[in-house]
Amino acid sequence: MDVPALVEQARAGRPRAVARLISLVEGASPQLREVMAALAPLSGNAYVVGLTGSPGVGKSTTTSALVTAYRKLGKRVGVLAVDPSSPFSGGALLGDRVRMQEHSGDSGVYIRSMATRGHLGGLAWAAPQAIRVLDGAAGCDVILVETVGVGQSEVEIAAQADTSVVLLAPGMGDGIQAAKAGILEIGDVYVVNKADRDGAESTARELNHMLGLGESREPGDWRPPIVKTVASKGEGIDEMAEALEKHRAWMEERGVLSARRRKRAAGEVESIALTALRERIGDLHGDQRLDALAGRIVAGELDPYAAADELVEGLTNGGTADRA
Ligand SMILES: Nc1nc2c(ncn2[C@@H]2O[C@H](COP(=O)(O)OP(=O)(O)OP(=O)(O)O)[C@@H](O)[C@H]2O)c(=O)[nH]1
Ligand SMILES: [Mg+2]
């Protein structure tokens, strides 16, 4: 596969080339490095918005309505629907495809679903690379990343996004769960969707109360807004887009955007390096270097910490040439 040609085709607006690039990174193809190297100078223009919330709160419906709003502004939009509970792309996200169907004929919209369970490093590993393809190769101005809020995943997705949106819906006991799940720390913008249903007002009030209970804010600090939407009718979506824009502007003013991106890149490097190190250590089982160190520990000549230092030193200094 000719990576530079694929990148060129993707940049010329060919959706199939974008899809193939994402498949390469998703499948951890041997060409992954080549793809990432090609995309490095092209990336960094897209604004990445993460949307998370309990199953069924309306993430896909909201995402689809936001796509419409951004398209009206002439922006190219990428959508990444990440399913952290499934090792298969497609299955659980079939409903999402249906809800996104209205954009299927639009060449300014790329929609991709991705399963991350079973991936080494999970979401933290797979999503940022797909985001790079949508950003650098597909030239998206905005990338919307939808993840179901289960366990750790919402925290992980918050770390991937420039702006994190937490969605709630009335009547799901979400307010109380919110505190437990720790989402009160990750939301930059809160959306109470299904505002056509009873209880939306009290959900918003409860959320407002809980957000206010946090540590006191300095003047000029970001105060996460709460937006009420009826995504299925497109109501409140413009307000939501406005809240996102405000957050983006606030981050840019204060240098928060670049700080977040640097932190994200650092985390990515760390995770890739740890994976590489783990693989090399895994390769050492049955290797005489590890065995020799173990023997010295058992003989009382060496403690396990000093042995681990020696092992890591040896791997990082001597072990690279033969594996590059
Ligand atoms: N009444 C009402 N229903 C809505 C609204 N938004 C979405 N729905 C409905 O809620 C259901 C779930 O919507 P989705 O957008 O699939 O929700 P989701 O959060 O993406 O769901 P998962 O991806 O399965 O976690 C669908 O039947 C939608 O039509 C709304 O504002 N009001
Ligand atoms: Mg969905």
Side-chain angles (χ1 to χ4, degrees):
M1 185 117 22
D2 184 353
V3 169
L6 263 186
V7 171
E8 201 175 301
Q9 285 169 21
R11 284 174 66 76
R14 303 244 186 94
R16 285 179 141 256
V18 176
R20 287 181 87 175
L21 284 170
I22 295 188
S23 296
L24 284 181
V25 302
E26 190 181 29
S29 138
Q31 285 175 306
L32 174 62
R33 279 165 186 267
E34 203 188 332
V35 175
M36 286 301 125
L39 294 182
L42 306 171
S43 308
N45 300 311
Y47 171 49
V48 182
V49 179
L51 296 102
T52 188
S54 307
V57 291
K59 296 177 295 295
S60 300
T61 312
T62 306
T63 300
S64 186
L66 258 186
V67 170
T68 305
Y70 281 121
R71 289 301 291 145
K72 276 193 194 136
L73 298 172
K75 298 198 187 282
R76 273 175 109 70
V77 191
V79 175
L80 196 61
V82 182
D83 184 352
S85 65
S86 165
F88 309 105
S89 285
L93 291 157
L94 222 52
D96 293 342
R97 292 233 178 102
V98 173
R99 267 180 271 297
M100 304 275 176
Q101 203 135 43
E102 57 175 310
H103 305 293
S104 63
D106 184 344
S107 62
V109 181
Y110 293 91
I111 297 172
R112 177 76 179 212
S113 50
M114 191 174 215
T116 56
R117 202 185 71 182
H119 263 300
L120 205 55
L123 183 57
W125 180 88
Q129 322 216 39
I131 288 172
R132 275 213 184 83
V133 173
L134 290 171
D135 174 7
C140 292
D141 303 299
V142 183
I143 299 170
L144 306 173
V145 185
E146 173 189 343
T147 327
V148 188
V150 285
Q152 211 18 47
S153 64
E154 60 250 83
V155 180
E156 281 187 31
I157 201 60
Q160 306 300 339
D162 295 326
T163 297
S164 292
V165 179
V166 174
L167 287 98
L168 300 103
M172 299 178 77
D174 267 312
I176 291 102
Q177 281 172 18
K180 282 190 200 150
I183 62 158
L184 294 173
E185 275 112 72
I186 62 163
D188 299 306
V189 171
Y190 289 86
V191 169
V192 176
N193 187 42
K194 305 195 184 183
D196 52 333
R197 293 204 175 156
D198 287 345
E201 202 53 58
S202 64
T203 301
R205 242 192 337 262
E206 187 181 358
L207 183 61
N208 188 38
H209 177 65
M210 286 167 116
L211 288 170
L213 292 179
E215 47 205 83
S216 64
R217 294 188 166 81
E218 303 280 323
D221 277 1
W222 179 253
R223 173 90 170 80
I226 301 169
V227 184
K228 277 178 280 181
T229 57
V230 184
S232 49
K233 292 184 190 151
E235 289 171 24
I237 299 301
D238 288 344
E239 288 79 358
M240 182 184 174
E242 214 170 279
L244 294 175
E245 195 43 50
K246 271 193 190 140
H247 185 246
R248 195 234 293 251
W250 175 85
M251 285 194 296
E252 274 176 354
E253 242 163 60
R254 307 210 132 212
V256 174
L257 187 58
S258 57
R260 279 191 181 189
R261 288 179 174 180
R262 272 201 304 276
K263 197 173 161 198
R264 198 154 88 207
E268 224 180 318
V269 174
E270 187 182 323
S271 126
I272 292 168
L274 278 174
T275 304
L277 203 54
R278 204 176 288 128
E279 274 170 15
R280 285 188 196 172
I281 289 175
D283 287 349
L284 282 183
H285 286 295
D287 182 290
Q288 49 187 359
R289 275 179 290 177
L290 182 56
D291 196 49
L293 287 171
R296 284 163 67 199
I297 296 170
V298 172
E301 296 164 18
L302 197 64
D303 71 89
Y305 286 90
D309 286 345
E310 218 174 282
L311 185 71
V312 171
E313 280 277 294
L315 284 176
T316 47
N317 291 335
T320 41
D322 56 323
R323 314 187 98 251

